[in-house]
Amino acid sequence: MTPAPSPESSPAPSAVRPRLVKWAIYALIAGLVGALIWSQLPRSPYSTDLTRIGQGRPAVVLAYDIQTLGGMEVMAMLDTLRPAYRDRIQFLVAPLGAPNGRAFGERHRAVSGTVVLFSDAGMPVGTMHGPASAAELQQAIEGLLAQGMPR
């Protein structure tokens, strides 16, 4: 028979509780830091599938490089216009850091912040290098729609 453990050899329940609380606080802090980092990651509500160009709907393609402000500013402008046009026009992004985006940039002489407008047949009909305002972009989109898309 083994002797019963002495009270000094096992931790008292009151000593275990502060340890659990301490680890719960560490886990909470780690979770909050992780959530903060996750919320700051760049994300785009725009498709990067450039094969959608010429599939029966006009397309507005933004050449975008995450490392420059020009593309971010133009994306913010597009964000204000997109809800009004999303069912008539495809809004796409050509990520210049990816091979297909780089090829797009070279083919259309696009840098970050350049917007290329495509007809429903996939023909480029306009290019804007760093549009100055959302109104300028809207005017170009309206012109694209006027080229044959019913409203």
Side-chain angles (χ1 to χ4, degrees), residues 26-85:
Y26 288 153
L28 178 66
I29 291 171
L32 290 174
V33 169
L36 177 66
I37 291 170
W38 183 264
S39 72
Q40 299 304 308
L41 290 175
R43 57 183 158 255
S44 172
Y46 299 92
S47 173
T48 58
D49 181 7
L50 301 178
T51 64
R52 294 171 57 184
I53 298 170
Q55 300 298 314
R57 279 178 50 195
V60 173
V61 182
L62 169 64
Y64 182 80
D65 184 351
I66 195 167
Q67 298 177 9
T68 65
L69 289 176
M72 290 179 180
E73 291 171 353
V74 177
M75 187 176 284
M77 291 179 213
L78 286 173
D79 286 343
T80 64
L81 298 173
R82 187 174 178 211
Y85 296 100

